[in-house]
Amino acid sequence: DPSHWDVIEALPSYGRGKDVPDGRYKSLINGNKLEDVVITGNNGTIDGNGMVWWEWYKSHSLNHSRPHLVEIISSDSVVVSNLTFLNAPAYSIHPVYCSNVHIQNISISAPPESPYTAGIVPDSSDNVCIEDCIVSIGFDAISLKSGWDEYGITYGRPIEKVHIRRVQLHAFSGSAISFGTEMSGGISNVLIEHVHIWNSNSGVEFRTNKGRGGYIKEISISNIEMENVYTAISAKGNSGSHPDDKFDPKAFPLLNHITLKDIIGTNITVAGSFSGIEESPFTNICLSNITLSINSASSVTWECSNVSGFSDSVFPKPCQELDNPSNSSSSSCFYLMSLGGKTAGL
């Protein structure tokens, strides 16, 4: 019964609800301006019974945007651990404007047909560690965000200092690991390692658009295993909609210094798809020690436009824009391989 759910204002970095413009339903478990928050259990289960919300979303019957299972806002020292989350109406775990967040030993599940459901969504937060989790979801398994167009630019809080490790991810129609599409506050200093991705539309995806502003930079992704993934790696410069018509079309986002290395994939259809923005091309994309087994359904292994970068030991051979050999000019890109020393303490 939606009347049992309080309606609250949109987050200031979004300016409106994600599903519909007017407000949003408060999340099942929520908190604001707290310190030392622990949500834990002996693998107990929180079931959001999201089916009715999904039907309202599909039929355009929502009066307000869907709630999440857990949303903690503007808080410090947040732990979510040892729990199973099922059937979230939208996101399962959403820390936003938080510092020092630890999400550990969590299992998240929603059926493939659940529309735009997401697992763990750190949003405009810093010092975030996600480890030893299993996520099987309708859209994005883990998604990093930081605000939407002019609202995110004005609020100006990035998502930064993030460490993700030892996770197993399945994203039916979205991406196992996504950056954006709402990233107007910026995304930086992210280390992702030891990830198993299976039966997903996309493995790793960077999403932005004209009018977003912000940046995605200093990202290091390594030791990834993929199986049965349509597009292994992608970056899109025309992704997602705008909250309203007040955005600045000349607010071009920056995507720079992205390192992906030590990746193995089987039954992949498209190895990589990179479509940058003409006025702000994607630069310093660094690929190293990547081997992808392409299936017979593939007609194009790599697609590239408005992108540049470097590669070393990549199969199948990447497009010309990314096929520059490693040399002194690429050292500023591959330095991110040592990023672990900066974030290992998280």
Side-chain angles (χ1 to χ4, degrees), residues 108-283:
I108 295 173
S109 181
E113 66 273 12
S114 57
Y116 292 97
T117 52
I120 303 169
V121 186
D123 197 340
S124 291
S125 297
D126 62 274
N127 291 296
V128 177
C129 180
I130 301 170
E131 58 184 352
D132 303 307
C133 295
I134 301 174
V135 183
S136 176
I137 207 79
F139 194 62
D140 289 342
I142 296 177
S143 183
L144 306 183
K145 299 180 180 291
S146 67
W148 203 0
D149 286 7
E150 70 272 18
Y151 303 102
I153 294 171
T154 299
Y155 196 81
R157 176 152 183 180
I159 172 83
E160 59 184 357
K161 299 179 183 176
V162 178
H163 193 177
I164 299 169
R165 58 189 174 186
R166 300 187 305 272
V167 292
Q168 301 179 52
L169 308 175
H170 163 222
F172 179 74
S173 64
S175 183
I177 300 170
S178 69
F179 297 77
T181 175
E182 303 86 12
M183 40 63 67
S184 301
I187 302 174
S188 69
N189 197 353
V190 178
L191 172 65
I192 300 173
E193 56 186 346
H194 303 294
V195 179
H196 178 224
I197 297 169
W198 82 99
N199 296 0
S200 297
N201 180 62
S202 174
V204 177
E205 189 162 84
F206 303 88
R207 306 179 187 139
T208 186
N209 207 337
K210 295 179 182 180
R212 286 284 185 275
Y215 52 82
I216 303 175
K217 64 180 183 178
E218 298 177 11
I219 313 295
S220 178
I221 301 172
S222 65
N223 296 107
I224 310 295
E225 294 182 11
M226 301 186 192
E227 54 182 328
N228 306 326
V229 175
Y230 187 84
T231 303
I233 307 163
S234 67
K236 299 179 179 179
N238 59 347
S239 182
S241 59
H242 300 285
D244 50 39
D245 60 2
K246 300 176 184 177
F247 69 95
D248 178 5
K250 295 183 179 180
F252 300 122
L254 171 73
L255 194 147
N256 188 23
H257 287 132
I258 311 293
T259 295
L260 301 108
K261 71 185 187 82
D262 301 334
I263 298 174
I264 297 176
T266 57
N267 194 24
I268 308 297
T269 302
V270 178
S273 178
F274 296 83
S275 55
I277 297 171
E278 183 177 358
E279 297 88 347
S280 182
F282 299 162
T283 56

Side-chain angles (χ1 to χ4, degrees), residues 28-162:
L28 179 66
I29 297 172
N30 60 84
N32 194 353
K33 297 180 181 177
L34 304 175
E35 190 170 349
D36 293 329
V37 179
V38 180
I39 302 168
T40 191
N42 186 17
N43 199 34
T45 298
I46 297 173
D47 191 335
N49 286 303
M51 291 71 79
V52 65
W53 296 101
W54 305 335
E55 289 304 316
W56 287 332
Y57 177 86
K58 291 177 182 177
S59 63
H60 304 285
S61 302
L62 287 167
N63 294 319
H64 309 283
S65 292
R66 292 171 293 170
H68 311 309
L69 287 185
V70 173
E71 182 175 75
I72 306 297
I73 304 172
S74 300
S75 298
D76 187 25
S77 299
V78 177
V79 175
V80 184
S81 66
N82 305 320
L83 287 168
T84 294
F85 293 92
L86 302 178
N87 303 315
Y91 302 165
S92 293
I93 303 173
H94 186 218
V96 56
Y97 317 144
C98 289
S99 296
N100 304 306
V101 177
H102 191 187
I103 299 172
Q104 180 183 35
N105 194 29
I106 292 296
S107 178
I108 295 173
S109 181
E113 66 273 12
S114 57
Y116 292 97
T117 52
I120 303 169
V121 186
D123 197 340
S124 291
S125 297
D126 62 274
N127 291 296
V128 177
C129 180
I130 301 170
E131 58 184 352
D132 303 307
C133 295
I134 301 174
V135 183
S136 176
I137 207 79
F139 194 62
D140 289 342
I142 296 177
S143 183
L144 306 183
K145 299 180 180 291
S146 67
W148 203 0
D149 286 7
E150 70 272 18
Y151 303 102
I153 294 171
T154 299
Y155 196 81
R157 176 152 183 180
I159 172 83
E160 59 184 357
K161 299 179 183 176
V162 178

Side-chain angles (χ1 to χ4, degrees), residues 275-304:
S275 55
I277 297 171
E278 183 177 358
E279 297 88 347
S280 182
F282 299 162
T283 56
N284 288 309
I285 308 296
C286 306
L287 310 175
S288 175
N289 192 28
I290 297 173
T291 302
L292 303 172
S293 176
I294 305 300
N295 60 39
S296 59
S298 176
S299 59
V300 178
T301 55
W302 292 87
E303 301 170 312
C304 294

Side-chain angles (χ1 to χ4, degrees), residues 307-346:
V307 62
S308 63
F310 310 91
S311 60
D312 181 44
S313 300
V314 176
F315 180 85
K317 186 177 179 179
C319 46
Q320 183 176 354
E321 295 90 334
L322 299 174
D323 196 29
N324 299 304
S326 302
N327 53 39
S328 59
S329 65
S330 67
S331 61
S332 63
C333 192
F334 284 99
Y335 86 97
L336 284 167
M337 293 180 182
S338 63
L339 184 63
K342 297 165 61 178
T343 58
L346 291 178

